[in-house]
Amino acid sequence: MSLGGDTTTGTAPEQGATSPISAPQTQSDEPSPQVQDVLSSEIGISVMLNRLKQSIASAKEFSNFLKKRSALEDEHANSLKKICRQSQESMARSEHRGGSFATAYEEMMAIHDRMADNGLQFAMSLHQMSEDLQELAAIAEKSRKGWKQNGLSAEHRVVELETAMRKSKAKYDSLAEEYDRARTGDTTGRQGGKVFGLRSHKSGAQHEEDLLRKAQVADQDYQTKVQVAHTERKELLERTRPETVKALQDIVKECDSGLVLQMQKFASFNEKLVLSNGLSISPLKNGSEGRSLRESILSINNDKDLNDYLASQHAKVPPKASLPQYEHNHLIDASTRAPATTYTQKQSQTPSSAQPPLPQPGMFQQNARTSTFSETVANVQNQGPYGHNYGQSTSSIPILGNPSSQALHERSFSHGSAMGPGPGSASQQQYGQRGSTPQQTQPPPGLRFNGAYNSPSSRDGPPQLGALPFQSSQTQQPQQTNFSQLPSQQTASGPVSNSLQQHPVVPPQAHRNSPPIAPQMAPSRPVFGVSLTRLYERDGLAVPMVVYQCIQAVDLFGLNVEGIYRLSGSVPAVNKLKTLFDTDSSSSNLDFRNPENFFHDVNSVAGLLKQFFRDLPDPLMTREHYSACIDAAKNEDDIVRRDSLHAIINNLPDPNYATLRALTLHLHRVIENSGANRMSSQNLAIVFGPTLMGTAPGSAIADAGWQVRVIDTILQNTFQIFDEDD
C-alpha cells in the first residue's frame, strides 16, 4: 500500500485540518483593544518583526527535522532492502532448508521488501515537505527584510523631524524671551546687569529690532518644521505603519499556516506508513496480497520437510549387503594331525646358536620394502629442519618380529614431514619454519609506507606527508626530493627536516610561471598602506579584495596545514604578491582559487594577509577604541568581557566591522580544524593580537597580554558577536 497512491486519504486530513486554522483567523479579524493598542503604537512594527522572526525560525527548525528524518528513513529502507536481498539469495543455496520453510521465508522477505518500499516513499514525502518549508521560510525572510527597512526608516524619519522641531522651538522661545527683555529693559537674565557688550555699537532700538527680526525668522522656521513633522507623523499613523503592520501580519499568518499544514501532512504520512506496514504484515482477509506474516510462519511443517528431504535422498541409498556367515578352514584340522617334535628341537637349538632365525615366507620382500623406506626417512630427515627428527638410524628400525610393530613405525613416519616433499615444497612454504613469527615472513601494514614494502597504490605516487603518525623523516625524504625540494634545501648534513616536508617548497617551475612583475612601475591603485575607509570609497568593496582572496586561499588549501598563520612564508613570494595587488588588484593572476597564482605556498598567502593588516594606517580595531578594548579585556567575568567587546565592535566603522567579521568567521573555521593544523583560539590570538590591535600612544609592553585576550574572546564568541542578521 503506497503512501501517495490514495489521493482521497491524503487530502482528507488536510481538508479536515482547515477548521482549527480558520477559527483563529476569524478571531484575528476583530482584535482585542490591547492588541490594537500594541499594533498602532510605536513598537507595533518592531513587535511584528520579532514575531515574524519566530515563525521563520520555527519553520526552519521543523524543516531541518524533516530533512534528517527523511535521511534516516531512506537509510533504513535501503538497508532493509539490501539485507532482504542478501538473505534471500543466501537462503536459496543448497546448504539451507527447503520445503515449507523456504516458501515461508521467501514470503517473509517479500513482506519486508514491501515495508522497505513504503519507507522509501515516506522518506521522499518528508524530503519534499522539508524543501517546501525551506522555500516558505526564505520567502518570508526576504519579505521581512523589505518591510523592516520601509517601516523602521519611516519611524526613524519621524523621530528625526520631531527632534529638529523641538530644537527649533527651543531656539524660538529663547529669542522671544531675549527680545522681551530688550523691549522692557529687564536685565535680570543678564550677567552683571549689562544689556550690551563692551564692543557693541548698536543702540537699544537697533538691538531690539535685531532681536525681533531673529525671533520672526525662528518663528517661521519653527512653523515649517512643525508642519513637516505633523505631515510625516500623520502619514506614518494613517498609512505607513498600518500598511507595514498589516503586511507583517499577513506574512506571519502565511508562514504559520504553512508550518501547521506541513505538520498535519507529517501526521497523516506517519499514519499511512504505519497502516501500510500493518497491511503488509497482516493483509485483509478478502484481499489479494497473499498470506500474512503470521500465517506464513505457521505454515512451516518441520516433520514434512524432514520426510521430504529424506525421501529425496532415496536414490542415493546403496544396495543392501548380506549378513556375515562363518566359514570353517579345513587346514586347521590338518595342522593338528602333524607331529610336534620338529618344533621342539628347533626351539631347544635356538638359544645356543648365533645364527639368525630362518626367514619365513614373504620375509625378504618385507625387509627390502621396509629398508628402503627407512633409508628414505633418514635422508629426508637430514635434508632440512622441517621433519620430525626421531634420532633413529636404519639399523634401529625393527624389520622382523611382530607385524604390528612395523605398522606402527610406518604410521609414525607417514604422518610426519619425512614422507612429504623436500624443503622447497609448497607444504613447507605453507607451514613455515617452527619458531618463526609473522613479522619475519610478512611485513606489518605500517612498513608498506616506508619504502621496503610498497603497496600498489603507493607505487602510483608518494603518500600524503604527515598523514601517518609513524612516518619518519628518513622514509618520507626520498619521496619528497623528487618533486618538492629545491637544491638550496639540500644541506651537507643530509635531507631537510620533517617540518619542511610537511610544507613542501614550490618547485622552481612555479616561480618561472609566475606573472611578470615590473619593479620600476609605480602602484597606480595601491592597496597596502591605505585605510579601509579609503579602499571602500575607491573600490566599493566592504571587504578588501586582498583580504577576500587570502581568506579564500587558506579556506581551500590551508585549513589542514600545521602551523598556518604561525609559520612564515617566503618573503620574496609575499613581496611579489604585494606588488601585484598594489599594481592591479583586479588581475586574473590574483585569483587564489588557482594555487599556481600564489606559487603553491599557502603560508605566503597567510603572511600576505598579516602584512596587509600591519600596514594599515589605522589598525583594524582602530586607535580610537584601543583603550576601551584593553579595559574590556581586564574584566574577569567572561560575559561582561564579551558584551563589552561586542559593544565596541558595533561602534567600529562599517569597513572595519565588515572586514573584522569576515576575518573572525574565517579564523573560526581554522579553529574547527585545529586537530590537523594545531592552531587553537589562543594560538591565533597570539598571532593576530598585535596585528589587529596595533599600538596606541602611551601603551605599555604589558598591553600585549590584554591584546591577546581581546582577540581570544572575540574568536571564542564568534557567533554571539556576529549573529545572522548582520
Side-chain angles (χ1 to χ4, degrees):
M1 182 178 191
S2 62
L3 294 177
D6 190 1
T7 56
T8 306
T9 308
T11 56
E14 300 175 6
Q15 295 175 357
T18 55
S19 55
I21 300 178
S22 60
Q25 289 178 351
T26 306
Q27 295 177 0
S28 62
D29 295 338
E30 298 178 358
S32 62
Q34 292 86 353
V35 174
Q36 190 63 37
D37 292 342
V38 171
L39 295 178
S40 60
S41 64
E42 297 180 354
I43 65 172
I45 297 178
S46 300
V47 170
M48 289 304 302
L49 287 173
N50 292 334
R51 179 62 180 80
L52 180 56
K53 187 176 182 180
Q54 292 177 353
S55 299
I56 295 173
S58 299
K60 288 182 177 180
E61 181 62 29
F62 186 60
S63 174
N64 292 334
F65 167 77
L66 292 177
K67 186 176 181 180
K68 294 178 181 178
R69 175 71 185 277
S70 173
L72 289 176
E73 294 291 340
D74 184 75
E75 181 181 3
H76 173 265
N78 287 322
S79 301
L80 183 59
K81 290 182 73 69
K82 182 178 179 180
I83 63 175
C84 288
R85 182 177 64 256
Q86 293 177 350
S87 181
Q88 193 169 6
E89 292 175 355
S90 177
M91 193 62 68
R93 298 173 185 171
S94 59
E95 61 264 20
H96 294 282
R97 290 179 56 182
S100 61
F101 173 81
T103 303
Y105 197 88
E106 185 176 357
E107 292 178 357
M108 183 173 65
M109 292 298 103
I111 291 173
H112 281 76
D113 191 70
R114 290 197 296 270
M115 293 171 61
D117 292 336
N118 295 336
L120 288 175
Q121 193 166 1
F122 179 68
M124 293 176 57
S125 301
L126 294 186
H127 184 73
Q128 184 62 40
M129 291 166 59
S130 174
E131 291 184 348
D132 293 343
L133 274 179
Q134 285 286 357
E135 183 179 0
L136 177 64
I139 295 174
E141 192 169 11
K142 183 178 180 181
S143 301
R144 177 182 177 274
K145 290 182 179 179
W147 286 107
K148 177 182 179 181
Q149 182 178 1
N150 294 336
L152 294 183
S153 61
E155 296 278 357
H156 293 163
R157 186 168 59 253
V158 170
V159 171
E160 291 175 357
L161 290 175
E162 291 180 350
T163 302
M165 179 192 68
R166 286 191 290 270
K167 290 182 180 179
S168 178
K169 184 177 184 303
K171 181 179 180 181
Y172 170 64
D173 293 340
S174 176
L175 290 174
E177 291 177 359
E178 191 173 354
Y179 169 71
D180 183 65
R181 286 194 297 268
R183 183 174 57 82
T184 59
D186 185 9
T187 59
T188 55
R190 299 284 182 177
Q191 296 181 356
K194 297 181 180 180
V195 179
F196 309 108
L198 296 175
R199 297 182 181 180
S200 177
H201 301 286
K202 296 181 181 180
S203 62
Q206 291 177 347
H207 183 66
E208 180 180 350
E209 183 180 356
D210 211 8
L211 289 175
L212 178 61
R213 185 173 59 256
K214 291 181 179 180
Q216 291 175 352
V217 172
D219 180 41
Q220 292 179 358
D221 182 66
Y222 173 58
Q223 289 181 359
T224 302
K225 291 184 177 179
V226 168
Q227 291 178 357
V228 173
H230 177 76
T231 303
E232 289 294 332
R233 168 66 71 173
K234 185 177 180 181
E235 179 73 13
L236 176 65
L237 295 178
E238 294 181 357
R239 189 179 67 84
T240 306
R241 184 182 294 171
E243 288 182 358
T244 304
V245 170
K246 183 66 170 58
L248 292 175
Q249 278 184 313
D250 294 340
I251 299 174
V252 168
K253 292 178 182 179
E254 181 180 359
C255 186
D256 293 347
S257 299
L259 177 59
V260 173
L261 178 61
Q262 295 298 336
M263 294 179 70
Q264 292 174 352
K265 292 172 65 177
F266 176 70
S268 175
F269 287 154
N270 274 278
E271 293 175 356
K272 289 182 179 179
L273 176 64
V274 175
L275 180 60
S276 300
N277 290 338
L279 291 176
S280 298
I281 296 174
S282 180
L284 299 177
K285 296 299 182 180
N286 55 356
S288 59
E289 297 184 2
R291 297 184 296 182
S292 65
L293 180 60
R294 181 180 180 86
E295 293 173 349
S296 299
I297 296 175
L298 291 178
S299 66
I300 299 175
N301 191 338
N302 293 327
D303 295 336
K304 183 177 182 301
D305 291 346
L306 178 59
N307 294 331
D308 292 343
Y309 174 76
L310 296 176
S312 64
Q313 303 298 320
H314 183 268
K316 301 179 181 179
V317 175
K320 292 184 179 181
S322 60
L323 295 176
Q325 296 180 358
Y326 174 75
E327 295 181 1
H328 181 71
N329 193 341
H330 62 281
L331 296 178
I332 296 178
D333 298 335
S335 62
T336 56
R337 292 192 297 267
T341 57
T342 304
Y343 177 76
T344 305
Q345 293 176 358
K346 291 181 180 180
Q347 186 177 7
S348 62
Q349 294 175 1
T350 300
S352 61
S353 63
Q355 296 178 358
L358 295 176
Q360 298 177 359
M363 177 177 177
F364 295 101
Q365 184 179 0
Q366 182 183 6
N367 191 4
R369 182 175 66 251
T370 310
S371 176
T372 304
F373 168 71
S374 59
E375 290 178 358
T376 306
V377 171
N379 293 333
V380 173
Q381 288 176 350
N382 294 330
Q383 286 178 1
Y386 301 102
H388 298 286
N389 187 6
Y390 293 94
Q392 294 176 337
S393 64
T394 57
S395 61
S396 63
I397 302 175
I399 299 176
L400 302 177
N402 189 3
S404 63
S405 65
Q406 297 179 12
L408 287 174
H409 278 285
E410 292 179 358
R411 284 196 295 269
S412 65
F413 284 104
S414 64
H415 65 72
S417 63
M419 295 298 293
S425 63
S427 64
Q428 294 176 3
Q429 294 177 0
Q430 178 180 1
Y431 292 100
Q433 184 178 0
R434 296 194 178 195
S436 63
T437 59
Q439 287 77 4
Q440 295 172 347
T441 60
Q442 182 178 359
L447 294 179
R448 298 184 180 183
F449 294 93
N450 290 337
Y453 301 97
N454 288 331
S455 63
S457 61
S458 65
R459 291 195 295 268
D460 297 337
Q464 181 65 32
L465 296 179
L468 300 176
F470 49 79
Q471 285 180 328
S472 62
S473 60
Q474 296 178 357
T475 58
Q476 294 176 356
Q477 189 267 343
Q479 297 174 356
Q480 285 294 322
T481 54
N482 295 333
F483 60 92
S484 63
Q485 283 188 353
L486 295 176
S488 61
Q489 290 177 294
Q490 300 289 341
T491 61
S493 60
V496 294
S497 62
N498 191 20
S499 61
L500 292 178
Q501 292 177 4
Q502 293 178 357
H503 309 286
V505 184
V506 183
Q509 290 79 1
H511 293 283
R512 289 197 295 267
N513 296 332
S514 60
I517 299 176
Q520 70 277 8
M521 183 183 297
S524 58
R525 293 172 63 87
V527 174
F528 286 79
V530 182
S531 65
L532 294 176
T533 304
R534 177 73 183 103
L535 290 175
Y536 174 70
E537 293 174 353
R538 186 188 70 189
D539 301 333
L541 300 175
V543 179
M545 180 57 67
V546 60
V547 177
Y548 171 78
Q549 292 290 353
C550 292
I551 289 176
Q552 180 177 233
V554 176
D555 280 342
L556 292 175
F557 307 103
L559 291 182
N560 293 324
V561 174
E562 183 175 351
I564 188 69
Y565 289 117
R566 177 174 56 81
L567 299 178
S568 301
S570 173
V571 176
V574 173
N575 292 334
K576 287 181 181 180
L577 294 174
K578 180 179 177 181
T579 304
L580 276 176
F581 274 101
D582 281 337
T583 304
D584 185 10
S585 61
S586 62
S587 173
S588 60
N589 292 326
L590 294 178
D591 185 1
F592 284 175
R593 292 175 296 183
N594 183 4
E596 294 181 359
N597 292 334
F598 55 84
F599 319 125
H600 296 272
D601 187 5
V602 72
N603 286 322
S604 296
V605 176
L608 181 70
L609 181 62
K610 293 187 290 185
Q611 185 66 38
F612 173 78
F613 288 116
R614 282 195 294 266
D615 291 350
L616 287 176
D618 192 15
L620 185 61
M621 299 298 292
T622 70
R623 294 188 181 91
E624 177 185 357
H625 298 91
Y626 181 86
S627 300
C629 290
I630 298 299
D631 294 337
K634 294 179 180 179
N635 289 319
E636 295 299 328
D637 189 351
D638 296 339
I639 304 301
V640 175
R641 183 169 65 254
R642 180 199 67 190
D643 294 344
S644 301
L645 291 175
H646 193 177
I648 295 172
I649 292 173
N650 287 339
N651 291 329
L652 291 175
D654 291 342
N656 296 57
Y657 179 87
T659 305
L660 177 62
R661 180 179 185 270
L663 177 65
T664 304
L665 294 176
H666 163 66
L667 294 180
H668 189 271
R669 292 190 291 272
V670 175
I671 296 172
E672 289 179 341
N673 292 272
S674 60
N677 56 45
R678 307 289 185 182
M679 294 300 291
S680 61
S681 62
Q682 180 72 16
N683 295 338
L684 290 173
I686 293 174
V687 174
F688 282 93
T691 303
L692 302 183
M693 295 287 297
T695 56
S699 60
I701 300 178
D703 288 348
W706 302 119
Q707 292 175 353
V708 172
R709 195 172 188 181
V710 168
I711 304 303
D712 189 24
T713 303
I714 296 174
L715 294 179
Q716 291 183 5
N717 299 275
T718 300
F719 297 109
Q720 286 78 15
I721 295 176
F722 303 100
D723 55 12
E724 60 181 0
D725 285 341
D726 290 339

